[in-house]
């Protein structure tokens, strides 16, 4: 169940306070205390039912067909091991020392730089030498007139 018996006591005290508040002006003290005791007992027992219903509603749904035994070890460990590339790094450094700074990787970068051709977009037309009638036609066309 959700919570402890202390919630039942709090709920019972809440019922007692409500009973006293609504009956203090209409009943004698003895009747009021007797009815507040009955209200405490009723609210105390009622709290068990409320807690049971809340526990049932708030429990996480169980998936049908899933077995917890199969998934016990899955997803609990993460391996962050990187591959050992020290031999490749040493070979690269040796080749740079022997070739005087040029390596196969820098040669491939140089070849790629030779093959590179920057984007050359078409030139935009200038409106300096156009006739005023053509400009008016273009503006009317663009504005939809």
């Amino acid at each position: 169940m959700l919570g402890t018996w202390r919630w039942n006591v709090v709920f019972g005290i809440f019922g007692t306070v409500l009973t006293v508040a609504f009956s203090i002006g209409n009943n004698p003290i003895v009747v009021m205390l007797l009815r507040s005791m009955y209200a405490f007992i009723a609210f105390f027992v009622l709290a068990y039912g409320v807690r049971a219903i809340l526990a049932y509603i708030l429990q996480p749904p169980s998936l049908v067909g899933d077995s917890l035994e199969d998934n016990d070890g899955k997803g609990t460990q993460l391996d962050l091991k990187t591959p050992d590339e020290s031999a490749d790094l040493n070979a690269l450094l040796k080749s740079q020392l022997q070739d005087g700074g040029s390596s196969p990787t820098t040669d491939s970068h140089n070849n790629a730089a030779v093959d590179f051709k920057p984007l050359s977009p078409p030139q935009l037309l200038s409106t300096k030498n156009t006739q005023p009638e053509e400009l008016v036609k273009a503006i009317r066309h663009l504005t939809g007139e």
Side-chain angles (χ1 to χ4, degrees):
M1 259 199 243
L2 189 67
T4 62
W5 60 271
R6 291 181 185 102
W7 284 106
N8 293 33
V9 172
V10 169
F11 204 61
I13 291 172
F14 175 72
T16 302
V17 169
L18 282 179
T19 304
V20 169
F22 287 120
S23 67
I24 195 158
N26 301 334
N27 297 321
I29 297 287
V30 176
V31 173
M32 181 186 64
L33 290 176
L34 184 65
R35 289 183 180 168
S36 64
M37 183 183 70
Y38 291 151
F40 178 82
I41 293 170
F43 274 80
F44 187 85
V45 172
L46 186 65
Y48 277 111
V50 169
R51 283 179 41 209
I53 291 171
L54 282 175
Y56 180 74
I57 291 173
L58 296 178
Q59 75 181 4
S62 60
L63 300 175
V64 178
D66 281 350
S67 62
L68 296 176
E69 299 157 357
D70 295 339
N71 297 330
D72 281 344
K74 293 182 181 177
T76 57
Q77 294 179 353
L78 179 63
D79 186 15
L80 295 176
K81 185 177 179 184
T82 58
D84 186 24
E85 296 178 348
S86 60
D88 294 336
L89 184 61
N90 288 336
L92 180 64
L93 290 173
K94 285 180 185 177
S95 67
Q96 282 182 348
L97 288 175
Q98 291 172 355
D99 296 340
S102 66
S103 67
T105 56
T106 56
D107 291 339
S108 64
H109 287 298
N110 290 339
N111 291 340
V114 171
D115 295 337
F116 176 73
K117 184 175 163 185
L119 181 65
S120 55
Q123 294 291 328
L124 296 175
L125 297 176
S126 176
T127 59
K128 291 179 183 174
N129 297 331
T130 56
Q131 299 297 326
E133 294 86 20
E134 291 178 11
L135 289 175
V136 171
K137 271 174 53 176
I139 291 173
R140 285 185 182 153
H141 177 69
L142 290 176
T143 57
E145 290 181 8

